[in-house]
Amino acid sequence: HSEQQGRMLCAPHVWPDLGGRRVFGTMGILTLVLWSCSGQPASLPWDLPAISSLEHQGGLVFIHTESSLYSLPCSPIEMEVVDPTYRWVQDRAAPRLFSVTKEGHLLLQHFQAGDSGKYSCTISYMKHGVPVSQTFHYSIFGYHVLGGLDIVLLFHSKLCEDKWTKRFLWSLQDKLRQLEIEQRCKLQLTPTFCFPSLNNPSDEFIIQVHLEVSPFGPHWDEHCNSQDVQTVTDCYHKTVRHNLGQVQLAFTRFFKEHKSFHVTEADSPSINFTNKFVGFLKTKQCGGGYGQTKQLQRCLDCCIVCPPGTFSPPKNSQCSPCPVGTYSLTYGVVFCTPCKDGMITRVPGAGSMTDCVKNERTKQAVSIMHKIPVLLLIILPALLAINFLFILSSCYWFYQEYQVSSPRASEMTGSTTRMETVTSFFRIPRQGPQAGPDAGPASDTSQMDTSASQGGDEEHTHGAPSPAVTSNLATVTDETTPVLTLEDRKDTF
């Protein structure tokens, strides 16, 4: 095989076409010719690729919601190749089944928001006996023009119970299904309200029904077949206006013909729901999962599908980044998905589940909780030892204080008790120095009480009676009652 390859390389007219990507150097060519013509296996200082592969960016592609049929060619330019093969790939975990024509065109029917994403098509063929492949990458976005209809219906009934209301709504939707098919629209029933009638609040109730009408039903755009963006967008706007007008006429005619709806149940009388009002309101709001991002330059008021990492609730005209702690994986998300197990995202706008990471605060708290038992085993014995030593030192200190203070306290207490006993037993009156010789009995008594009180304080303080009292006590005997006279007090002082 190597010898044949060397002989082929010696012939100058069979050099492989490498697409102009590489140019052999002069030394490399001479080395290759010398080795191959000598009959030895040919080798290159570098490896030749087995397949020449080229990558191209096909650009942005916008496809309207519920398009009847959209055909996307593999290559944006005409290529003159022999027996090509085509392979389409989408970058999603569970790619949808593709319909591909023999010319390599990707066919998309009833396009939905979730069909948006990154697509790539690889065209493979042989050129001068060498396999060649070219890959074209596309970013496909769904969009829709503005337009919708809100319908408010009021029905009168004798009952306002959930059981009967649900049966009535099921019957209403069943009869409107045929109208939905005929008008090529979509109907969505929003929450229903029931409240008493103003005319007869006790016996009559009003059931309010709210219907949202989308003009983008199956085959709604069958008259718009152009592939030109500007032409087809103008056609979409005209079709939406026309279809919404037809829907309004059809509903008005329908409720003129169907004024009452009878709901029956076994062993129960039928309940009538009579239509009293039909109201229409044209709206221009983006659908859920769409926002006015102005990516489509030829239709600036169109609503573009929200990419991963963003969301848009119903009747919201902007795509907002997913808040911290949430993410969105696909296109056209109405609400973002929260991270599991208390995980969070570092920044808003996460577009993958891998963006969810453990909360650092949670990790720290868990780490601390795991370390607490070890810390307790280390710290608890030390705390117990410190507490035990503190208790022992407190007991010792209290004992020492008690031993030192006990003799003094007992001596003072005993002295005070003896003096109070003697004073009370002998009833020794003491007179303060304020008493004069002319003081009367009442004045004398009060002065003695005051002196006694003062004398008691002095005895408690000094631990012994005053010299005046001691001299008087020396003459007292058991047979006589000690009485102090004015002369005695004068002698004393």
Side-chain angles (χ1 to χ4, degrees):
H1 176 72
S2 299
E3 292 178 358
Q4 292 177 356
Q5 183 181 9
R7 296 190 186 98
M8 290 177 63
L9 290 174
C10 283
H13 64 278
V14 293
W15 282 100
D17 182 8
L18 299 178
R21 290 277 177 143
R22 295 184 180 181
V23 179
F24 291 137
T26 304
M27 295 302 297
I29 295 175
L30 291 176
T31 303
L32 178 63
V33 172
L34 289 174
W35 276 94
S36 59
C37 293
S38 63
Q40 297 186 9
S43 62
L44 292 173
W46 59 84
D47 293 330
L48 281 174
I51 298 178
S52 177
S53 179
L54 301 176
E55 300 283 334
H56 305 279
Q57 291 298 328
L60 301 179
V61 178
F62 295 92
I63 304 177
H64 200 286
T65 301
E66 285 290 347
S67 293
S68 298
L69 182 63
Y70 190 93
S71 177
L72 180 63
C74 182
S75 171
I77 58 176
E78 294 292 336
M79 297 181 61
E80 297 292 337
V81 296
V82 179
D83 296 329
T85 59
Y86 305 94
R87 180 173 178 267
W88 282 91
V89 178
Q90 185 183 8
D91 65 338
R92 56 188 298 180
R96 58 179 292 182
L97 296 176
F98 299 130
S99 297
V100 182
T101 65
K102 65 179 182 178
E103 294 83 10
H105 290 216
L106 177 66
L107 299 180
L108 298 170
Q109 289 181 297
H110 307 297
F111 190 85
Q112 303 297 318
D115 296 329
S116 303
K118 297 184 181 298
Y119 290 73
S120 61
C121 178
T122 302
I123 178 172
S124 303
Y125 54 94
M126 300 294 293
K127 188 173 183 180
H128 301 296
V130 177
V132 178
S133 68
Q134 297 191 47
T135 303
F136 300 89
H137 301 278
Y138 300 95
S139 295
I140 299 180
F141 291 88
Y143 80 100
H144 72 80
V145 298
L146 291 176
L149 194 65
D150 284 351
I151 303 178
V152 178
L153 306 171
L154 298 181
F155 295 86
H156 288 215
S157 176
K158 298 293 183 182
L159 293 176
C160 188
E161 297 179 2
D162 289 342
K163 178 179 68 174
W164 293 100
T165 302
K166 289 180 181 178
R167 285 181 170 272
F168 158 66
L169 293 177
W170 181 86
S171 176
L172 178 62
Q173 285 181 305
D174 185 58
K175 291 185 178 181
L176 290 177
R177 191 169 293 115
Q178 184 61 32
L179 183 64
E180 184 179 19
I181 296 172
E182 293 175 357
Q183 298 299 320
R184 300 172 184 176
C185 63
K186 289 183 178 180
L187 299 178
Q188 183 178 0
L189 184 66
T190 59
T192 302
F193 302 97
C194 181
F195 48 88
S197 171
L198 295 177
N199 298 330
N200 192 3
S202 59
D203 296 332
E204 190 174 44
F205 296 90
I206 297 177
I207 291 87
Q208 177 180 324
V209 180
H210 184 202
L211 290 173
E212 292 182 358
V213 181
S214 170
F216 311 119
H219 308 290
W220 73 278
D221 62 341
E222 62 180 7
H223 300 295
C224 303
N225 299 321
S226 175
Q227 292 291 321
D228 179 68
V229 176
Q230 185 64 50
T231 303
V232 76
T233 302
D234 293 340
C235 181
Y236 289 158
H237 281 101
K238 294 177 182 178
T239 303
V240 167
R241 288 194 297 267
H242 177 267
N243 289 355
L244 290 178
Q246 293 299 314
V247 168
Q248 184 172 344
L249 292 175
F251 268 83
T252 302
R253 184 169 56 250
F254 176 84
F255 285 106
K256 284 183 178 180
E257 298 173 357
H258 302 80
K259 296 293 294 183
S260 296
F261 294 84
H262 304 281
V263 180
T264 60
E265 190 178 38
D267 301 330
S268 297
S270 63
I271 304 298
N272 292 332
F273 291 82
T274 305
N275 177 253
K276 297 292 185 179
F277 176 80
V278 180
F280 301 91
L281 177 64
K282 291 184 179 181
T283 61
K284 287 191 175 183
Q285 294 173 329
C286 294
Y290 288 81
Q292 290 179 318
T293 58
K294 301 186 184 303
Q295 288 178 285
L296 186 55
Q297 295 297 321
R298 297 189 179 182
C299 184
L300 296 178
D301 63 337
C302 288
C303 300
I304 313 299
V305 67
C306 298
T310 62
F311 75 105
S312 177
K315 296 185 177 181
N316 194 344
S317 297
Q318 297 296 328
C319 295
S320 303
C322 289
V324 173
T326 63
Y327 64 93
S328 63
L329 299 174
T330 60
Y331 290 78
V333 171
V334 178
F335 297 105
C336 297
T337 304
C339 295
K340 296 182 179 180
D341 301 328
M343 304 175 77
I344 63 170
T345 55
R346 300 186 186 278
V347 293
S352 174
M353 189 183 300
T354 57
D355 293 330
C356 295
V357 296
K358 288 187 176 181
N359 192 346
E360 294 297 331
R361 294 180 180 178
T362 305
K363 289 173 63 178
Q364 293 176 2
V366 172
S367 177
I368 292 173
M369 291 300 294
H370 284 299
K371 292 180 180 179
I372 283 178
V374 179
L375 294 175
L376 287 177
L377 291 177
I378 297 173
I379 297 175
L380 189 59
L383 291 177
L384 292 176
I386 293 172
N387 288 334
F388 182 72
L389 292 175
F390 177 75
I391 293 172
L392 287 179
S393 61
S394 299
C395 293
Y396 178 77
W397 176 81
F398 178 77
Y399 176 76
Q400 290 295 329
E401 289 291 326
Y402 178 77
Q403 289 293 104
V404 172
S405 60
S406 179
R408 296 178 181 176
S410 59
E411 181 180 355
M412 292 176 64
T413 304
S415 174
T416 304
T417 303
R418 286 195 298 272
M419 291 303 299
E420 290 179 353
T421 302
V422 171
T423 305
S424 61
F425 177 78
F426 291 104
R427 296 179 181 176
I428 300 174
R430 287 178 290 178
Q431 183 67 29
Q434 295 88 351
D438 300 329
S443 176
D444 190 28
T445 304
S446 62
Q447 293 295 335
M448 285 192 295
D449 292 339
T450 304
S451 299
S453 176
Q454 293 175 353
D457 292 340
E458 291 175 358
E459 292 167 0
H460 180 73
T461 304
H462 300 289
S466 63
V469 175
T470 304
S471 61
N472 288 326
L473 288 176
T475 59
V476 176
T477 61
D478 295 337
E479 288 83 6
T480 61
T481 300
V483 178
L484 294 178
T485 63
L486 291 176
E487 290 78 9
D488 296 333
R489 275 182 284 179
K490 291 178 181 179
D491 295 339
T492 301
F493 290 106

